[in-house]
């Protein structure tokens, strides 16, 4: 009599989920994200040419403004949400989840592995984009009269990496709960979060967003002058040190809460097996 195959442990199942999810997203979805970042580099190149011609903008301000408002506010959130939703919701959409759920594998381990895989891809892409953007701006020495400031690259690379992990946790939650997670992500990123992070609202409401803690990380690392601070934080006239608070703690709490709810939903929901629309 054949012995029953041993059920894989939580760690082993999560590791295998990471491996399969990485293969899935790299082979099928990543090219759209890469094209967006290449377009950003071209935009920064022409922007640096215009700034050098005008003589009114230095490389420090140009890099910070472009890195924050285009990379940190638009491309990084969208790419992390897109990758995370594709990794978590993709098997549900194309019905391959039926095979996975029939295996003796804990569903929370599958979701944890999917989130880790999405985070790895999002972090690598966003940090690479920050390096590419910095290289493009640094290629014009006339914009850096005091020499290159490498601390800017370290600050934004760390901020984008942390933000990518948090956005992937939100994507895991949206992908596990909603049938149209990209639509909900549009409302979350373009609508509620942007308004709460950039308007003059209460600090408690801002702490529920991802953009506001990320901006506080940037301000703490860059230590901008009033002009640059106003460009990065228009809702505050004076971004004093006491306004920085604990952005990493805020992001950590948000990430854990999203993952706990996502795992709970993923483990209890009976996803339908109808034909794909």
């Amino acid at each position: 009599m054949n012995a029953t195959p041993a059920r894989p442990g939580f760690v082993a199942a999560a590791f295998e989920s990471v491996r399969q999810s990485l293969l899935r997203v790299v082979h099928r979805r990543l090219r759209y994200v890469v094209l967006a970042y290449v377009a950003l580099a071209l935009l920064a190149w022409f922007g640096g040419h215009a700034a050098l011609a005008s003589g009114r903008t230095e490389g420090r301000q140009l890099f910070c403004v472009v890195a924050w408002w285009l990379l940190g506010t638009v491309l990084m959130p969208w790419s992390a949400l897109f990758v995370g939703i594709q990794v978590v919701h993709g098997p549900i959409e194309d019905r391959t989840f039926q095979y996975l759920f029939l295996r003796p594998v804990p569903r929370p381990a599958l979701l944890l592995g999917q989130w880790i895989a999405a985070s790895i891809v999002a972090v690598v892409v966003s940090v690479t984009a920050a390096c590419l953007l910095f290289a493009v701006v640094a290629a014009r020495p006339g914009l850096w009269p005091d020499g290159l400031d490498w601390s800017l690259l370290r600050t934004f690379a760390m901020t984008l990496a942390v933000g990518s992990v948090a956005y992937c946790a939100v994507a895991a939650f949206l992908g596990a709960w909603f049938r149209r997670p990209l639509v909900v992500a549009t409302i979350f990123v373009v609508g509620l979060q942007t308004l709460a992070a950039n308007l003059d609202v209460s600090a408690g409401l801002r702490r529920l967003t991802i953009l506001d803690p990320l901006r506080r990380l940037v301000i703490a690392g860059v230590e901008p002058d009033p002009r640059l601070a106003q460009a990065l934080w228009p809702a505050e006239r004076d971004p004093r040190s006491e306004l920085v608070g604990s952005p990493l703690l805020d992001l950590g709490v948000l990430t854990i809460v999203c993952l706990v709810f996502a795992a709970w939903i993923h483990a209890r929901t009976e996803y339908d097996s109808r034909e794909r629309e």
Side-chain angles (χ1 to χ4, degrees):
M1 183 176 181
N2 296 331
T4 302
R7 180 175 180 175
F10 188 94
V11 175
F15 180 81
E16 181 61 22
S17 178
V18 171
R19 188 185 69 85
Q20 294 187 15
S21 299
L22 283 174
L23 292 175
R24 179 188 182 95
V25 69
V26 170
H27 288 170
R28 297 185 181 183
R29 306 291 184 179
L30 199 57
R31 60 182 180 273
Y32 303 111
V33 176
V34 173
L35 289 175
Y37 285 122
V38 171
L40 172 66
L42 293 176
L43 179 63
W45 175 263
F46 290 110
H49 178 74
L52 188 61
S54 65
R56 293 180 298 177
T57 303
E58 295 184 352
R60 174 184 174 87
Q61 182 170 359
L62 176 64
F63 173 76
C64 290
V65 171
V66 175
W68 172 249
W69 287 110
L70 289 183
L71 188 56
T73 305
V74 179
L75 291 182
M76 182 274 289
W78 274 115
S79 60
L81 287 169
F82 177 77
V83 171
I85 288 174
Q86 292 300 322
V87 170
V88 174
H89 191 72
I92 299 173
E93 186 181 17
D94 60 21
R95 308 307 181 228
T96 56
F97 77 91
Q98 298 176 61
Y99 171 77
L100 295 175
F101 286 2
L102 289 175
R103 310 297 294 174
V105 178
R107 290 192 190 182
L110 294 176
L111 184 128
L112 178 63
Q114 292 169 341
W115 168 70
I116 293 175
S119 298
I120 291 174
V121 173
V123 167
V124 170
V125 171
S126 62
V127 171
T128 302
C131 295
L132 178 62
L133 177 62
F134 187 80
V136 169
V137 179
R140 298 184 180 276
L143 295 175
W144 304 87
D146 299 325
L148 291 178
D149 188 354
W150 291 97
S151 65
L152 300 179
L153 178 58
R154 291 194 298 269
T155 297
F156 275 95
M158 186 270 291
T159 301
L160 295 173
V162 173
S164 298
V165 172
Y167 277 111
C168 284
V170 174
F173 170 70
L174 299 178
W177 190 4
F178 295 97
R179 291 185 59 185
R180 300 291 183 268
L182 283 176
V183 176
V184 181
T186 301
I187 299 173
F188 173 75
V189 175
V190 180
L192 300 179
Q193 182 186 225
T194 303
L195 289 175
N198 292 296
L199 295 182
D200 188 12
V201 297
S202 66
L205 183 59
R206 287 183 181 178
R207 293 180 62 181
L208 299 178
T209 69
I210 298 177
L211 281 179
D212 184 68
L214 292 183
R215 182 184 287 123
R216 286 184 278 138
L217 280 175
V218 170
I219 288 178
V222 173
E223 297 182 356
D225 55 46
R227 179 186 175 189
L228 181 56
Q230 183 65 25
L232 296 176
W233 203 341
E236 293 290 344
R237 296 182 179 179
D238 181 21
R240 300 178 300 274
S241 59
E242 60 265 23
L243 295 176
V244 174
S246 303
L248 289 178
L249 177 61
D250 296 339
L251 291 173
V253 171
L254 178 63
T255 299
I256 293 174
V257 170
C258 287
L259 288 178
V260 169
F261 276 103
W264 182 79
I265 294 170
H266 199 254
R268 295 178 61 89
T269 303
E270 293 298 329
Y271 298 102
D272 63 81
S273 59
R274 58 183 173 79
E275 293 296 325
R276 183 176 180 179
E277 293 179 353

